[in-house]
Amino acid sequence: MISIRQRKGIRSTEVSEEYAAQEENVKLENKLPSGCTSRRLWKILSFTIGGTIALCIGLLTSVYLATLHENDLWFSNIKEVEREISFRTECGLYYSYYKQMLQAPTLMQGFHGLIYDNKTESMRTINLLQRMNIYQEVFLSVLYRVLPIQKYLEPVYFYIYTLFGLQAIYVTALYVTSWLLSGTWLSGLLAAFWYITNRIDTTRVEFTIPLRENWALPFFAVQIAAITYFLRPKLQPLSERLTLLAIFISTFLFSLTWQFNQFMMLMQALVLFTLDSLDMLPAVKATWLYGIQITGLLLVCILQFFNSMILGSLLISFNLSVLIARKLQKNLKSGSFLTRLGKLLLHLFVVFCLTLFLNNIIKKILNLKSDEHIFKFLKAKFGFGATRDFDANLYLCEEAFGLLPFNTFERLSDTLLFHAYIFVLFITVIAALTVAIHNLSGSTNGQKSMDSMGKGTVSLKPETAYNLIHTILFGVLALSTMRMKYLWTSHMCVFASFGLCSPEIWELLLKLFHLYNPKRICIMRYLVPILILLYLGYKFWPGMMDELSELREFYDPDTVELMNWINSNTPRKAVFAGSMQLLAGVKLCTGRTLTNHPHYEDDSLRARTKAVYQIYAKRSPEEVHTLLRSFGADYVILEDSICYERRHRRGCRLRDLLDVANGHVMDGPGENDPDLKFAGHPRFCEEIKRNLPPYTAYFTRVFENKTFHVYKLSRNK
C-alpha cells in the first residue's frame, strides 16, 4: 500500500502536529459503532457481512448469466440437436467428449475411447487426454454417472450449470482480492458491480459456455487472490502454508483446464521477475511462486501423458533460467545505484539468453513443432516481416486476435471503470517508480526499506506492487490481442475498486493538495465508492431488467436440417471433410468421423486442415479428390458463407489466404504481389455446383439447402 511519511529534519512543531493527526486517524479508524463493545467484535461482524455479500453476489451473478443464456436461446424448450448446435466451433468439440463419456457402456470403455480415439482425426489414432485439455469433461461425466441426479437433471444442464457455478467462484475471488488490497469489503462490492455492468467486456460465458477459458479463469482469479494474501508481510506459518496450498491447487487447476495456461503464467512469472529484480518482493516468496508454477505445469504434463508442448514451454525455460541466474549472481542487490543498475541489466541479459538456450535445446530434443504457428503469428503481428504462411494469416485475419477496439474504452468509461482505473494506475505507477529508484539507490533489503524508509518516502506493499505489474502486463496483452481482454478487464475492476477504497491513496492525494485530515480520508474512501455504486444502480439497473425480460429463441434451421440428414442418411463410420468450425458440430450432433477440427495446437493437424481447405481454393477436381481421399473422406460439406465470404476484407477472406499460400492471384479488384500468378483452374467450391463432367466424375451431390452443399466422393477415379 502507499503511505506518506514526515521528512527528517522538519521542525518539531510540524512533527507533533503530524503525529497528532496520525493519532486522530488511528482513533477514527478504530472507532466502534455504538452497538459494539470491542474492536474484535467489529472485525468479526464486518467479516461476516462482507463474506455473506461476497457469496450472495457471486451466486446472483451466476443466476443472472444463466438466465441470460436461457432467455437468449430458450434453451429449455429447443430440441437436443439445437442445444448441441448452439455450442459453436470448438465449444461443440469439447462438449462432444463429455457426451461420449456418458454414452460409453462403462467408465473404463469411456477412458479407453478417449485415449485411443480414431474418430476425431480420420485414419489416425490419437490420445485426446494428451492432446486436449478435457479432464474437466471427464470429471463431470464421472460425477454425473456417480451422483443420483439422472432423474432430476439432464446431462447438458449439469454441464452448463457447473460452468455458471464457476462464475460465482470467479466473481467471489475478484471480490476477495479487492477486499484484501483495500481493507474494506466495500471495495469488493464495487469490483463485483463493475464486473457485472461491464459484462460484454469481462466475460463471454453465456454464449461460449464450454470454452476452455471459462473453465480456467475462475481458478486464475482464485490464484491471484491467494497470491495477494501470500505476499502480505508477517504471515503466521500455518496461514502461509495453507495459502501456498491454495496457490498450488488453483495453479494446477488453471493449467489443467486451458491449453494457453503456459503463456498466461509466463506473464505472471515476468511480474515476479520484475518485482524481485527491483527488490519490491521478498526473494524467498518469489522462489516459492516460481517453484509452484513449474511443479503445477509438470504435474499437468504427467496427466497429459507427457505432452511435449508443456515440456517445451517458455515458462519452464524462463523460470529455470531465473533460478540459475540468481545463483550465478549472488550479489545482485548490493552496491550503488549505477552498480545495481548495471548488475540488473546484466541479469536481464543472462536470463534472456539462458531462456532462449534452454528452450531451443528442449525443443530440439523433443522435436517440438506444436507451437510454431503461435510464434509465426507473433512475428507477423508485430511487424517482423510479412508472411504468406496460411496458419499465421488465419490468426492475423481474425478479429479476436487483432488490436483491442477503441469502442471498448467507451463502454468501460460509461460505467466510470476506465476513468477510475487510470486514476488509480497513475498514482500507483508513480509510487512504484519512486520505490524502485529508492531500492536501486543502495537498499539491501526491499522489505526493510519499506519499513524503515525516511519520512516522506512513498512505499508500496508487495501485494499492491504485484497487482500493479500484473494489471500493466495483462493490459499490454489485451491491447495487442483482443481475445485476451477478459484477463485484463476483470482485474481492472479489482484494481480500480481497490484504489478508490484505499486510505493510503487518498492520504497521498490530500497531502499533495494540503487538504490532509483523517476524517476526510475516511469520508473519501467510503463516499466515492458508494456514489459510484448508486450511479451504476441508477444507470444500469433498468437496462439489466429489460435484458432479463427480453425473450429470444435459437433459430438455425439449415444446420439442424444438415445434422438430421447426416444422422439419417450416412453410415455411422462415414468420414466428413469441411471447415473446422462446422465439423466440430458434426462430431457432437452425429458422432461421425472428421478429417480435421478446431483444436489447432498440432503441426500435422494444421497441415491437414490446409489440405482440406483446398475445397475453397482454385484447384482441379482431381487434386481435391486426391487430397480428401488421402484422409479417408467419404463426404465433403461446402458452405456458401465461406465460398462467397464477405465478412472479411479482401486479403483476409479464407479463399484469399489459400490463393496467396498457393501462389495465386486473389479475386476482385485490388493489388496483388507481383510474383503471384493466375491459377490454371477455377475456384472449386463455385465450379462444382455447375455439375460439369470433370466434377461429377469424382463428386456426387447428395444434399443441399440454402447454406450447405454435401457431396459424396467416388471411391475410384
Side-chain angles (χ1 to χ4, degrees), residues 197-216:
T197 53
N198 290 283
R199 175 179 55 82
I200 294 174
D201 297 299
T202 55
T203 183
R204 51 178 176 167
V205 66
E206 73 269 24
F207 57 90
T208 59
I209 295 176
L211 208 60
R212 302 299 83 180
E213 66 188 51
N214 295 328
W215 285 98

Side-chain angles (χ1 to χ4, degrees), residues 398-465:
E398 281 298 321
E399 184 183 3
F401 292 93
L403 299 177
L404 189 66
F406 186 76
N407 61 8
T408 304
F409 302 107
E410 295 177 356
R411 290 192 298 270
L412 296 175
S413 297
D414 285 343
T415 62
L416 304 181
L417 172 59
F418 188 65
H419 300 307
Y421 177 76
I422 294 298
F423 164 73
V424 176
L425 185 66
F426 177 76
I427 296 172
T428 48
V429 164
I430 297 299
L433 290 174
T434 305
V435 171
I437 293 171
H438 178 274
N439 289 349
L440 290 175
S441 297
S443 173
T444 58
N445 185 287
Q447 187 62 38
K448 182 179 177 182
S449 70
M450 284 192 300
D451 294 336
S452 59
M453 279 190 286
K455 306 286 185 180
T457 303
V458 177
S459 66
L460 202 67
K461 289 186 177 180
E463 61 267 33
T464 306

Side-chain angles (χ1 to χ4, degrees), residues 620-633:
S620 68
E622 296 91 346
E623 290 177 300
V624 174
H625 183 271
T626 301
L627 284 170
L628 296 180
R629 286 302 301 160
S630 70
F631 304 125

